[in-house]
Amino acid sequence: ALRSFVGRSVLKLFAVLLIRLYQLLISPFFPSSCIYKISCSHFSIGVLKHHGFILGAFFSMARILSCNTIFSHSSTKEHLHV
């Protein structure tokens, strides 16, 4: 049980590190186009820390896909647009 917990903790920390690297090294070169008040990367860090790697990754992917115009609904975009 401890080994499983440690493995998930390492995955969670690695995922948060990758997101932070994206925020610092890649994101500044692109204009902000997020439809949400809290960006998808900040949301992802929060759910990873709160829910752990598995649920956090699931919620993060759902959020990112909802931001994509192919998968999103126009009513959702209008309601959440900044």
Side-chain angles (χ1 to χ4, degrees):
L2 180 61
R3 187 176 195 178
S4 175
F5 174 76
V6 171
R8 281 189 248 158
S9 293
V10 170
L11 285 174
K12 177 176 69 171
L13 291 173
F14 183 69
V16 169
L17 176 65
L18 286 178
I19 294 168
R20 287 294 296 146
L21 287 173
Y22 162 79
Q23 289 175 332
L24 296 170
L25 301 176
I26 297 171
S27 182
F29 295 103
F30 295 96
S32 178
S33 61
C34 195
I35 64 171
Y36 298 105
K37 282 192 172 189
I38 298 174
S39 70
C40 292
S41 60
H42 283 94
F43 172 83
S44 296
I45 289 174
V47 296
L48 282 165
K49 287 181 176 180
H50 187 266
H51 294 288
F53 179 75
I54 295 171
L55 277 177
F58 174 78
F59 290 138
S60 296
M61 290 308 298
R63 170 79 173 248
I64 291 166
L65 291 175
S66 75
C67 209
N68 187 328
T69 56
I70 294 171
F71 298 105
S72 64
H73 297 76
S74 60
S75 62
T76 305
K77 276 191 164 188
E78 291 171 8
H79 177 67
L80 297 173
H81 197 280
V82 177

